[in-house]
Amino acid sequence: MIEAKRRIAFLRRAGTLRGCLLCAAGIAINMICAWVTTLLRLPSLLDILGTVLSAALGGYLPGIIVGFVTRVLEGLLLDSAQLYYSSLDMIVAVCAAAFARKGWFKRLPTTIAAALIFFGIKVGLGTPLTWFLNNADIGGMTARYARHIHENSGVGRFWAQLAVDSIHELIDIPLVAAITYVILKRLPESFQEAFRHGNWWQAELPAEMRDAVNRRVGKGMSLSTRVVLVVSIGALSIASAAIIISFQLFKNSMKNERIQMAEGLTMLVEHTIDVNKIEEYIELGEAAENYNAIERQLVDYKLMYSDVEYLYIYQIKEDGCHVVFDLDSPDVKGSEPGEVIEFDEAFYPYLDDLLAGRRINPIVSDEKYGALLTVYHPVYDKNHVCQCYIGVDFSMDILSTYGTVFIVKLITMLIGFFVMVLAFGLRIAMDNVIIPINTMAYCADAFAYNSEEARAANVEQLRRLDICTGDEVENLYRAFLKTTEDSMNYVENLLHAKVEVEVMKEQVSAMDELAYKDALTGVRNKTAYDQYIMRLEGEIFRGEAAFGIVMIDLNYLKRINDTYGHEQGNTYLKQCCELVCAVFDHSPVFRVGGDEFIAVLEKNDLKERDTLIAQLKAEMKKRADSKLLEPWEQVSAAVGLAVYEPGKDRSADDVFKRADKAMYADKLAMKAVRTD
């Protein structure tokens, strides 16, 4: 076992080294292509070649690693925006690994199909991502070409971006696919095979067995799917919480930044205006001294703060806002000095403070002029009397746009990390748990017990697996191997024991049948009835009982025995039993005494009890009146019925007693009308 562990550890180290070299080569190819295109000031070309080759040769994990690390390095060394495209490269890597496993890159038609899928991923997802990352505008490495198309042809910005990206990818993706096709066709199969093998903690498997193990899926959800599901749910939960918290912090930071910006702007404005001339500004407007000069200065201040939507100065009175200064904006012309503006509804809660000249907190509103963040700064004279308020409005739409860009960047970054974590988690689960367990299951399914040679071959195949994970899976393998070896030693005895068990089962079944069956009539006996009553008692205890008991007592059995003999008496008993069983064919019938039978009615027979009792009595009367039947065929019996009543009956025996009493009354009535 120690030697096997050393050999497998060596093979695993060799496989890990091959994987690292493959990843390094893929990253180098991507970075060289990216560096060359950046140096030549061209859009990126062949920047996913290393990713596709790594995935095609080594599987999804090397491809994901190459795609992620490449984008991180490009973001750190060339263009920070490249960080956000790692998720697209990872999707391409997973697709490339799947296509290579199916042999697509060895046939030209399927290589073209793979190129079309890559094109759809890069353009269908890449262009919208670029659009959102650039605040719903043209951007990325193809930006200058897209702007040229937009400005010279009148095509919309997004469609110009999409057109340029499509043209670029129509050059890039076919080149990547063609190079991959040529390389995989030229490389020796043995070289490619060396990269495909997993770094398993067990002996190398034959090709047929390896393919079967990789394809193996249970009846329910596979373990690999569960691993992916658990890791995905955990990662998505953490990512969702991180996105929500980060966005809230970002939003608050942006809001606080603009509040501080407004405070700085209002301080400049406050030092520009003459607080003692507010009334003069309102009354004379542009005719007031220095009014126009102050207004031009305010315009310069507004231009210094590009995010400011509106800048104005109001004097707050009970009849409304009296305009002192109100600068024009691109969409709205400012109000004239002295004009009175009604209060917006959002300001109603703050009117008392505004009229008293007190400071108020920033206000978020969405009314006539759109969604705004408003900061009001009071201006006091030397007597600390508020003469006016300086108002600064920021568009909340801009904050929403910034927030959207922030969320897109955050999500794309988290997707990259999430896919990396998922890929590593799944690979570890595959190497350490899923492949070993599937291998053991494969060997167990392939066991043949038809000969001693086959059984020995089964054990040897299991022994050759040499699973050396060093954890509970290895313990399971060792226990499974030992159990199998021990089991094979006793197979012959088990086969012999199986024959004996079958014989004993037949004997037990026969004895069981005798124990619960009446020997004369073939129906269930008193022992079976007592056992059935125990079940009814349990239902009564649980409040689930619904049943009725029919008591049937034969008439004139003693007369038949005394007159015609016991053999005819037995016939009389069996004739009665057959009639009862025919009427109550969906209910159990028991012989509980020499001439007593009981039928327990449930479900439909319980609902149809009156009809069934009438049918039984009618059939007995028909036989009794028949002149063609022998006396021992003219069945006669008294019948009593009682139905379980919750609250009244405490046990099944109470129902039995009422049925017995009803039967006895029926017997008396039958004796009363007879003349013999």
Side-chain angles (χ1 to χ4, degrees):
M1 186 178 72
I2 295 175
E3 184 61 30
K5 283 188 175 183
R6 289 176 178 173
R7 183 179 68 258
I8 291 172
F10 173 78
L11 293 174
R12 185 175 176 85
R13 285 195 297 270
T16 303
L17 180 60
R18 287 194 299 270
C20 291
L21 291 174
L22 180 64
C23 291
I27 294 169
I29 292 172
N30 285 348
M31 289 303 297
I32 290 171
C33 293
W35 180 77
V36 170
T37 53
T38 302
L39 192 63
L40 297 176
R41 300 177 63 84
L42 295 172
S44 58
L45 196 65
L46 302 178
D47 61 333
I48 62 168
L49 177 59
T51 304
V52 173
L53 285 174
S54 299
L57 287 172
Y60 67 88
L61 183 57
I64 287 173
I65 293 173
V66 170
F68 182 78
V69 174
T70 297
R71 291 301 180 181
V72 170
L73 292 176
E74 288 182 6
L76 295 175
L77 302 176
L78 301 175
D79 179 8
S80 60
Q82 295 302 310
L83 286 169
Y84 308 115
Y85 293 90
S86 61
S87 55
L88 297 183
D89 287 8
M90 291 178 177
I91 295 174
V92 169
V94 172
C95 293
F99 298 157
R101 190 166 58 247
K102 296 178 180 179
W104 280 27
F105 292 115
K106 294 186 178 180
R107 300 187 301 274
L108 189 57
T110 49
T111 301
I112 295 173
L116 291 174
I117 293 173
F118 293 158
F119 176 82
I121 294 170
K122 294 285 283 184
V123 175
L125 298 178
T127 299
L129 179 58
T130 301
W131 180 258
F132 283 114
L133 288 175
N134 289 277
N135 198 8
D137 199 359
I138 292 172
M141 293 185 174
T142 59
R144 57 175 173 164
Y145 305 104
R147 287 195 183 94
H148 180 76
I149 291 177
H150 168 67
E151 293 168 359
N152 291 279
S153 65
V155 177
R157 291 177 175 273
F158 177 78
W159 299 110
Q161 180 84 63
L162 182 64
V164 172
D165 287 350
S166 299
I167 294 170
H168 168 253
E169 297 301 341
L170 279 174
I171 300 171
D172 187 26
I173 295 300
L175 279 175
V176 171
I179 293 172
T180 304
Y181 171 76
V182 171
I183 289 176
L184 294 184
K185 287 285 284 185
R186 296 289 183 181
L187 281 178
E189 188 64 31
S190 57
F191 181 83
Q192 298 183 43
E193 193 71 18
F195 290 103
R196 292 197 193 108
H197 293 178
N199 298 329
W200 302 337
W201 285 108
Q202 63 185 71
E204 187 67 38
L205 301 177
E208 180 183 352
M209 187 175 179
R210 183 172 63 249
D211 293 340
V213 167
N214 285 326
R215 291 194 307 268
R216 189 177 185 84
V217 178
K219 293 181 179 179
M221 186 183 297
S222 68
L223 186 57
S224 58
T225 304
R226 295 183 189 217
V227 170
V228 171
L229 192 60
V230 170
V231 174
S232 299
I233 291 174
L236 288 175
S237 300
I238 296 172
S240 300
I243 290 172
I244 293 171
I245 295 171
S246 299
F247 178 68
Q248 195 62 41
L249 292 174
F250 171 79
K251 187 177 178 181
N252 292 337
S253 174
M254 293 288 290
K255 184 177 177 181
N256 292 334
E257 181 182 338
R258 274 147 184 77
I259 292 172
Q260 291 176 5
M261 189 185 301
E263 292 292 341
L265 179 56
T266 56
M267 292 296 292
L268 289 174
V269 174
E270 183 178 3
H271 286 88
T272 302
I273 63 174
D274 187 345
V275 69
N276 297 314
K277 293 184 178 182
I278 297 301
E279 295 292 345
E280 181 182 342
Y281 296 152
I282 294 174
E283 184 177 350
L284 301 178
E286 294 183 359
E289 183 182 1
N290 294 329
Y291 186 91
N292 291 329
I294 294 172
E295 190 173 46
R296 285 193 298 272
Q297 187 65 53
L298 297 183
V299 171
D300 291 339
Y301 290 154
K302 184 174 181 293
L303 293 175
M304 292 169 55
Y305 296 86
S306 58
D307 288 344
V308 173
E309 191 79 9
Y310 304 108
L311 176 62
Y312 48 87
I313 301 175
Y314 290 162
Q315 188 180 66
I316 306 299
K317 294 185 178 180
E318 292 188 0
D319 60 341
C321 301
H322 292 248
V323 176
V324 182
F325 290 92
D326 191 1
L327 303 186
D328 295 339
S329 66
D331 300 323
V332 180
K333 181 174 176 55
S335 301
E336 295 298 326
E339 186 177 337
V340 179
I341 300 174
E342 294 182 359
F343 296 112
D344 288 341
E345 188 175 335
F347 288 81
Y348 288 165
Y350 305 94
L351 282 181
D352 292 339
D353 290 329
L354 291 171
L355 292 171
R358 290 190 288 266
R359 289 182 177 273
I360 62 172
N361 293 325
I363 300 171
V364 176
S365 62
D366 189 1
E367 296 181 359
K368 180 179 178 181
Y369 299 106
L372 298 172
L373 169 65
T374 301
V375 178
Y376 265 27
H377 177 78
V379 180
Y380 301 101
D381 60 17
K382 61 182 180 180
N383 297 319
H384 203 69
V385 175
C386 181
Q387 294 296 325
C388 62
Y389 279 89
I390 302 171
V392 180
D393 290 343
F394 294 94
S395 173
M396 292 297 290
D397 294 334
I398 294 177
L399 293 180
S400 299
T401 302
Y402 288 157
T404 301
V405 174
F406 174 78
I407 288 178
V408 170
K409 289 181 177 180
L410 189 60
I411 288 175
T412 53
M413 287 290 292
L414 288 175
I415 288 176
F417 284 109
F418 164 70
V419 174
M420 280 287 292
V421 171
L422 183 63
F424 274 105
L426 185 59
R427 184 57 179 267
I428 292 171
M430 289 290 292
D431 290 352
N432 290 54
V433 180
I434 297 171
I435 294 297
I437 288 178
N438 279 352
T439 306
M440 286 188 284
Y442 174 86
C443 292
D445 288 345
F447 273 14
Y449 298 89
N450 52 352
S451 67
E452 184 177 350
E453 292 78 11
R455 290 193 291 273
N458 292 335
V459 175
E460 184 59 28
Q461 183 184 45
L462 188 60
R463 191 181 290 116
R464 282 199 303 266
L465 293 180
D466 285 331
I467 296 175
C468 302
T469 59
D471 53 22
E472 290 81 0
V473 174
E474 182 179 347
N475 294 339
L476 175 64
Y477 165 69
R478 299 298 171 191
F480 181 46
L481 177 59
K482 184 178 185 305
T483 302
T484 304
E485 290 173 338
D486 292 343
S487 299
M488 293 301 101
N489 293 331
Y490 298 103
V491 165
E492 295 299 329
N493 293 334
L494 290 176
L495 292 174
H496 179 69
K498 181 179 179 181
V499 175
E500 292 184 350
V501 167
E502 290 298 325
V503 174
M504 293 177 63
K505 283 174 63 177
E506 292 178 1
Q507 294 174 347
V508 169
S509 177
M511 293 173 63
D512 187 65
E513 186 176 353
L514 290 173
Y516 293 98
K517 186 176 180 180
D518 179 62
L520 178 63
T521 61
V523 297
R524 306 182 199 188
N525 59 17
K526 181 65 167 58
T527 302
Y529 172 74
D530 292 339
Q531 191 177 60
Y532 202 87
I533 288 298
M534 289 177 64
R535 181 178 72 80
L536 295 177
E537 293 288 357
E539 293 179 359
I540 292 172
F541 178 76
R542 294 190 299 272
E544 302 171 353
F547 66 93
I549 292 179
V550 180
M551 187 72 186
I552 302 127
D553 188 87
L554 270 68
N555 296 324
Y556 318 124
L557 177 62
K558 185 175 184 304
R559 181 187 302 174
I560 296 294
N561 283 330
D562 293 344
T563 305
Y564 303 104
H566 286 282
E567 184 176 348
Q568 303 304 336
N570 289 342
T571 301
Y572 185 67
L573 270 169
K574 288 189 282 187
Q575 290 280 332
C576 178
C577 180
E578 290 174 1
L579 176 58
V580 171
C581 290
V583 173
F584 302 110
D585 60 337
H586 297 299
S587 298
V589 177
F590 307 88
R591 184 186 180 193
V592 296
D595 55 0
E596 293 179 344
F597 294 88
I598 288 178
V600 180
L601 308 184
E602 296 181 281
K603 299 181 180 178
N604 288 335
D605 278 9
L606 180 62
K607 294 178 182 178
E608 304 292 333
R609 55 186 179 274
D610 294 335
T611 302
L612 295 174
I613 295 294
Q615 180 182 343
L616 177 64
K617 289 185 176 182
E619 184 63 28
M620 286 192 295
K621 185 176 185 308
K622 178 181 176 182
R623 294 191 183 194
D625 295 341
S626 176
K627 303 300 184 182
L628 301 176
L629 298 177
E630 298 291 345
W632 53 84
E633 295 175 332
Q634 297 174 346
V635 175
S636 175
V639 181
L641 169 68
V643 177
Y644 170 73
E645 299 179 17
K648 178 179 179 180
D649 298 316
R650 292 178 294 178
S651 65
D653 190 55
D654 292 344
V655 183
F656 170 80
K657 289 178 180 178
R658 287 195 288 109
D660 188 63
K661 184 176 180 181
M663 180 275 295
Y664 186 68
D666 187 48
K667 185 177 283 290
L668 290 177
M670 293 177 72
K671 288 181 178 179
V673 297
R674 293 185 67 87
T675 58
D676 53 341

